[in-house]
Amino acid sequence: MATDRQFRLYCRVAAFLFAGFTVYPVITKLAEHRLAHDWAHSALHLLFCLLAGYAGWASRDARAARLFTGAVAVIYGVLGVIGWFVPGLLLGTAVAIPLDPVANVFHLVLAVPALVLVARYVAPSRGDAAP
């Protein structure tokens, strides 16, 4: 069974990944004068970075970490899969979320371990089964 410590560790690692995937694209988009095309995508990553940081370090108990991990498993899992079939969401608007191969891999790198943790947390361990 997944422990609270594992959920917090996942959130801490995710915070660094989200930070990297926020800062680098913002810098490159600013340099190329194209941040206005999909600023919401970077804002969402920043929001998830802040939520992951809170769940991993600042929350009093691990409920926030478990909730955040479950949300990432679902939201980023869906984005990681549908991104291989559609080029993005709300494209052509200021809140566009492009789903290119790099974004799809990033989404799946976050979602798969989250899914594993959630599955281990939800599924009863063999020692808990009744005889």
Side-chain angles (χ1 to χ4, degrees):
M1 179 178 239
T3 66
D4 291 346
R5 192 168 175 215
Q6 290 171 314
F7 282 101
R8 284 191 185 271
L9 177 61
Y10 172 82
C11 291
R12 291 172 181 173
V13 171
F16 283 105
L17 290 173
F18 277 116
F21 240 75
T22 301
V23 172
Y24 178 75
V26 166
I27 291 170
T28 58
K29 289 173 187 176
L30 282 172
E32 297 170 356
H33 304 290
R34 60 185 187 91
L35 184 60
H37 295 116
D38 64 350
W39 61 267
H41 194 199
S42 296
L44 283 172
H45 284 181
L46 177 60
L47 173 66
F48 273 82
C49 174
L50 296 173
L51 291 172
Y54 171 77
W57 283 288
S59 68
R60 287 187 176 260
D61 61 30
R63 278 184 281 175
R66 290 191 303 269
L67 181 62
F68 177 82
T69 304
V72 169
V74 172
I75 295 167
Y76 281 83
V78 168
L79 286 174
V81 172
I82 67 167
W84 297 106
F85 303 102
V86 298
L89 305 172
L90 306 169
L91 296 177
T93 70
V95 293
I97 300 174
L99 298 173
D100 59 11
V102 173
N104 298 337
V105 170
F106 172 70
H107 295 155
L108 291 173
V109 162
L110 285 163
V112 170
L115 283 167
V116 169
L117 268 178
V118 169
R120 287 182 62 203
Y121 178 73
V122 174
S125 65
R126 293 180 190 251
D128 294 342

